[in-house]
Amino acid sequence: MEKEKQNQNIMNISRRMVFFCFLFLCLGVSACSTVKGTASYAYDTTKEFVNPRYGRMDFDLSEGLRFYKQAGIYLGEIYTQVHPNINLEKRPTALFIPMGLVQENRDHEAISQGVSRIVWQSFLAESTFATLEYAELGIPYTLEHALPYAEQKGAEYLVGGLIQQYYDGGANGDSRFAMQLQVYHVASGSLIWSINHSGVLPYKNDGDFAAFKIKNRMPVNPMSTLVSAVGSELAILLHYWTEPKLMKAKERQKERDSFKGRLYPSAF
């Protein structure tokens, strides 16, 4: 009888050792591996978001093994209605006018100013123009007031447009955004660019499986992340117009880096 108890105790100890070995192995893998196929955020680097580390896994005694997957931003096709026939020889100066909101909303001015500043910052980050001043003008965006003001400021081009769709789903819903960017030549008043772009940041429920859970993580500010992603793509597109030689050089460098990556793949 005592021998059977001893054998049972040995088996229990062995099971615990196997469990803890598996636990330490999972924690070790989480420190150096990522979950393949996770989406990448266009813009969000706050500490609240990256802790615990995105795209990785950890272990919790109450919930077990957890994999973290970033929410994906889905951007639509860029639709260009008006575009110039030739590129510029050097980056011009421009004035950014707050965009007007097409849909009805109680926070019309707040949304217009908030979205416009995010798009403006996207252009600043890309260095699309030599200088790009932000103009604090009244809403809605009207060309008859914006062009004379841009000429008064000495800007070569006027950048503005319309917010066609704005739906902030927050952390527990889908966020949708669509805009039309317009660029005018100040001296002639001619419309040089008219571009439509949009994006969606959908909310997905967490996946609960028998052996593990998949936690879908939204950005700290989903709507700002989505607007920044749309604005960044437009800033890059216009950068090919204002500084084509630099953008072509960036393309060649990206191709070289990609080729090196295929020759010397990373272990993680």
Side-chain angles (χ1 to χ4, degrees):
M1 192 70 177
E2 293 180 357
K3 190 174 181 179
E4 291 180 358
K5 288 183 178 180
Q6 290 178 354
N7 292 335
Q8 186 65 31
N9 290 334
I10 292 172
M11 291 181 64
N12 291 336
I13 293 172
S14 300
R15 288 172 182 170
R16 291 176 183 175
M17 289 180 65
V18 171
F19 172 76
F20 282 110
C21 287
F22 175 74
L23 173 60
F24 286 121
L25 178 62
C26 290
L27 293 177
V29 171
S30 66
C32 61
S33 65
T34 60
V35 181
K36 293 183 178 180
T38 56
S40 297
Y41 279 116
Y43 182 79
D44 202 309
T45 56
T46 56
K47 292 182 179 179
E48 294 85 356
F49 175 65
V50 299
N51 186 22
R53 290 169 296 179
Y54 58 87
R56 298 180 182 259
M57 66 181 183
D58 64 7
F59 182 82
D60 184 83
L61 293 176
S62 61
E63 295 188 0
L65 190 61
R66 300 179 298 186
F67 291 90
Y68 293 93
K69 183 178 181 181
Q70 302 175 55
I73 295 177
Y74 300 92
L75 298 176
E77 295 292 333
I78 297 177
Y79 178 61
T80 305
Q81 296 173 309
V82 179
H83 64 85
N85 294 324
I86 58 174
N87 294 324
L88 301 178
E89 295 182 358
K90 64 176 183 177
R91 289 183 304 159
T93 60
L95 182 71
F96 194 102
I97 300 295
M99 296 182 292
L101 181 63
V102 174
Q103 68 189 57
E104 294 184 3
N105 194 291
R106 291 182 300 175
D107 299 326
H108 189 284
E109 185 172 351
I111 292 174
S112 178
Q113 289 286 350
V115 169
S116 299
R117 284 194 171 274
I118 293 173
V119 176
W120 170 64
Q121 289 170 358
S122 299
F123 276 84
L124 290 181
E126 179 60 27
S127 300
T128 305
F129 295 93
T131 58
L132 182 63
E133 183 182 349
Y134 186 85
E136 294 283 357
L137 289 181
I139 303 300
Y141 162 78
T142 52
L143 187 62
E144 58 268 23
H145 295 95
L147 274 174
Y149 187 71
E151 186 176 7
Q152 178 186 342
K153 285 285 188 177
E156 297 175 77
Y157 289 89
L158 173 70
V159 182
L162 300 171
I163 304 168
Q164 298 170 320
Q165 183 183 34
Y166 182 93
Y167 181 78
D168 188 354
N172 299 309
D174 297 346
S175 294
R176 300 181 181 87
F177 176 70
M179 62 173 285
Q180 181 185 32
L181 188 76
Q182 298 174 346
V183 180
Y184 284 86
H185 185 245
V186 175
S188 63
S190 302
L191 178 62
I192 305 299
W193 284 96
S194 181
I195 318 168
N196 291 77
H197 199 17
S198 61
V200 179
L201 201 166
Y203 172 79
K204 294 182 180 180
N205 294 320
D206 296 339
D208 191 356
F209 301 91
F212 61 91
K213 292 185 178 181
I214 296 180
K215 309 286 287 185
N216 291 289
R217 188 181 299 130
M218 296 288 283
V220 174
N221 193 327
M223 198 63 195
S224 296
T225 304
L226 177 58
V227 174
S228 179
V230 173
S232 296
E233 286 209 339
L234 293 178
I236 293 172
L237 174 62
L238 261 65
H239 204 170
Y240 277 93
W241 169 59
T242 62
E243 206 169 14
K245 291 182 180 179
L246 175 66
M247 299 307 288
K248 292 296 182 182
K250 284 185 177 181
E251 279 187 1
R252 291 192 294 269
Q253 184 61 45
K254 188 176 181 180
E255 290 176 359
R256 287 194 292 265
D257 293 342
S258 177
F259 181 71
K260 289 179 181 178
R262 291 194 297 269
L263 287 179
Y264 308 102
S266 174
F268 304 105

